[in-house]
Amino acid sequence: LFVVAMFLMTAPVNNITVRAYKDGDYTYEVVNRKAIITDFNASISGKVVIPSNLGGYTVTSIGVEAFSNCYNLTSVTIPNSVTYIGNDAFYNCTALTEINFNAVAMDNLSSKNSMFANAGKDGEGIKVTIGSEVTKIPAYLFYNCTSLTSAPELPATVLAGGCYHSMFSGCTSLTTAPELPAT
């Protein structure tokens, strides 16, 4: 018994195996029976509607840099099942012209998130739609999104918590001032 106990105490405890799954153009991991998109086929062009389900698991997260360098991605729609989007998730998506947030639970997004940094075509602008179900927006949501030319219309339900204006830090092409929602 003593020998078994000594073996167990010296065995590595951080040998957790994470398996990557493929479903079409998506690579994902499953944690707590929920899917986390970790990669996307960068050669895909055009509009992408991220599925709310992969391999029978609800998609709740888009991982860090999951869609980065998808140079031909022009439009992305994020489903309401997503409650977390990692930093630089859409970094360097230089053809991106449209972003649609349905009912993303943005209150769970990182407050220093820069998911759209360097995204979009310079001079063409990115159209952003935020669904009426969204109640909170993280402080740095569009940080360094240099192609954002006009602030998105925010639903009346948005509770900015005093950090609203910092969400556009580094948006050097922004030509329209953001309007705070009515309280």
Side-chain angles (χ1 to χ4, degrees):
L1 191 60
F2 177 74
V3 173
V4 171
M6 290 304 291
F7 173 75
L8 290 175
M9 287 180 13
T10 60
V13 292
N14 58 354
N15 267 349
I16 299 172
T17 303
V18 176
R19 181 170 175 219
Y21 298 92
K22 290 282 289 174
D23 190 338
D25 294 313
Y26 298 90
T27 301
Y28 66 98
E29 297 172 356
V30 176
V31 176
N32 295 327
R33 304 198 46 78
K34 295 179 178 157
I36 301 168
I37 296 174
T38 57
D39 198 17
F40 181 73
N41 181 349
S43 67
I44 298 299
S45 62
K47 296 181 177 190
V48 170
V49 176
I50 297 173
S52 58
N53 194 296
L54 287 171
Y57 299 98
T58 301
V59 175
T60 59
S61 300
I62 298 172
V64 173
E65 298 181 1
F67 288 82
S68 66
N69 300 316
C70 289
Y71 302 114
N72 299 312
L73 186 64
T74 60
S75 172
V76 63
T77 298
I78 301 168
N80 62 4
S81 63
V82 171
T83 58
Y84 176 82
I85 300 175
N87 286 347
D88 296 329
F90 297 93
Y91 175 79
N92 220 21
C93 291
T94 54
L96 196 59
T97 58
E98 183 178 14
I99 304 163
N100 299 299
F101 293 101
N102 286 335
V104 177
M106 291 186 173
D107 53 324
N108 292 330
L109 297 180
S110 167
S111 64
K112 290 283 187 180
N113 205 316
S114 59
M115 70 176 99
F116 296 103
N118 203 37
K121 290 182 179 180
D122 284 334
E124 289 190 27
I126 294 177
K127 178 185 177 209
V128 177
T129 304
I130 298 175
S132 61
E133 297 87 1
V134 174
T135 59
K136 187 176 177 183
I137 295 176
Y140 291 88
L141 179 64
F142 297 106
Y143 179 78
N144 276 347
C145 184
T146 57
S147 293
L148 188 64
T149 57
S150 63
E153 184 178 322
L154 297 175
T157 55
V158 169
L159 304 171
C163 297
Y164 176 80
H165 296 288
S166 62
M167 74 185 282
F168 298 107
S169 295
C171 295
T172 55
S173 298
L174 197 60
T175 58
T176 62
E179 287 187 35
L180 290 172
T183 54

